[in-house]
Amino acid sequence: NPGNPIKVALVGKYIDLGDAYLSVVEALRHACIEQKALLDLKWVSAEMIEQHSAEKYLDDVDAVVVPGGFGNRGVNGKIAAIKYSREKKIPFLGLCLGMQCAVIEWARNIYGLKDASSAELDPTSNNPVIHLLPEQQDIIDLGGTMRLGVYPCRLQNGTKGKNLYDEDVVYERHRHRYEFNNSYKQKFLESGYKISGTSPDGRLVELIEYTNHPYFLACQYHPEFLSRPGKPHPLFKGLIRATQQQKSSNPK
């Protein structure tokens, strides 16, 4: 008796390879089990969003997840999905590249930097809101420079992220090289966003959230790797719970 269905769109570019997002799907299942909901998963190609529109594929969904990945393919589709989720107030969770795309979406559509991008995706961008760490800028051979493994994340008081975790410091698994560009931090914070988690020294942005929204969080790490059937990850559980609350208050 799993309860009422929740339609979650998984917007990625590897959707023809079912196992590519297996950990994300399982984390969603764990959260649904905990919240007594039935997961109705909708696979959405980011490239098809680029060809058509986000509305065409996301109009009927209750929540949106944008997972990680590498390379340019499908990125603009992910950004369009994030913009649609933000504007339509659809509960959203971004993971790794999903967080970076959320920052690019902010820069382009809220801050007005139409050429904003990641230095990984567009090395010539005048506004690389996602970039290499300063100490890596001059490294030609990037082999072995990825931030890989478990790193601490300090949560900030007064944020949804802190409330979800109910911890001061958590440890999450990473697999990435590029980071939030702190040159844009002040404008980011002035635009209705919060940085709810950082490295202990405050230098690296780990978790962001948009305040004028029922649930809009994105993290630089991979929370799906720490989710278990009897212990869903707080960010996934929060997504499903917020979606249930939104559905009950705004039935279609």
Side-chain angles (χ1 to χ4, degrees):
N1 184 24
N4 294 325
I6 290 179
K7 181 175 281 191
V8 180
L10 187 61
V11 181
K13 61 180 179 179
Y14 311 125
I15 63 170
D16 292 333
L17 304 171
D19 286 352
Y21 301 116
L22 182 60
S23 296
V24 178
V25 174
E26 290 302 300
L28 287 167
R29 292 193 196 284
H30 302 159
C32 284
I33 291 169
E34 178 82 5
Q35 291 299 120
K36 297 180 172 58
L38 175 65
L39 177 62
D40 179 8
L41 188 64
K42 181 176 183 179
W43 296 90
V44 177
S45 165
E47 291 173 279
M48 294 304 291
I49 289 180
E50 289 178 349
Q51 292 181 31
H52 302 285
S53 69
E55 182 176 12
K56 177 178 174 65
Y57 296 98
L58 303 179
D59 179 61
D60 64 338
V61 305
D62 302 313
V64 173
V65 175
V66 174
F70 291 91
N72 262 313
R73 184 165 62 86
V75 163
N76 286 329
K78 291 185 175 188
I79 292 170
I82 293 167
K83 179 176 186 287
Y84 187 82
S85 302
R86 177 178 58 78
E87 293 181 341
K88 298 297 183 181
K89 299 214 169 13
I90 301 171
F92 163 78
L93 179 60
L95 312 173
C96 200
L97 180 62
M99 189 205 91
Q100 297 181 358
C101 287
V103 174
I104 296 170
E105 193 279 322
W106 158 78
R108 291 180 181 178
N109 299 315
I110 295 180
Y111 190 31
L113 302 174
K114 296 305 180 183
D115 65 336
S117 189
S118 162
E120 176 186 18
L121 306 173
D122 181 7
T124 66
S125 173
N126 292 320
N127 288 289
V129 293
I130 304 295
H131 71 156
L132 282 172
L133 294 174
E135 62 266 27
Q136 294 184 351
Q137 296 283 353
D138 297 325
I139 298 175
I140 296 174
D141 182 5
L142 292 173
T145 61
M146 184 175 286
R147 191 147 72 98
L148 187 63
V150 174
Y151 287 83
C153 170
R154 182 174 296 280
L155 298 160
Q156 307 302 311
N157 291 328
T159 64
K160 187 170 289 187
K162 174 68 179 287
N163 291 337
L164 290 168
Y165 278 102
D166 196 25
E167 300 278 356
D168 292 326
V169 177
V170 295
Y171 293 82
E172 295 281 0
R173 288 172 61 180
H174 295 67
R175 189 175 186 271
H176 66 98
R177 179 175 291 118
Y178 289 77
E179 306 280 354
F180 181 98
N181 187 339
N182 286 324
S183 299
Y184 298 87
K185 180 183 287 188
Q186 191 56 42
K187 292 297 183 184
F188 187 74
L189 295 174
E190 292 169 358
S191 302
Y193 285 81
K194 288 184 179 181
I195 295 174
S196 38
T198 67
S199 56
D201 62 4
R203 185 161 167 254
L204 304 177
V205 173
E206 299 278 24
L207 179 64
I208 65 171
E209 58 188 69
Y210 185 53
T211 55
N212 185 27
H213 199 280
Y215 193 94
F216 188 104
L217 284 91
C219 54
Q220 184 59 82
Y221 44 85
H222 288 274
E224 66 272 22
F225 293 152
L226 297 182
S227 186
R228 299 293 180 265
K231 190 178 180 181
H233 192 282
L235 296 185
F236 284 91
K237 182 179 176 180
L239 174 73
I240 299 303
R241 185 168 56 206
T243 304
Q244 288 175 315
Q245 292 171 351
Q246 178 143 311
K247 281 173 66 71
S248 64
S249 60
N250 298 299
K252 292 182 180 179

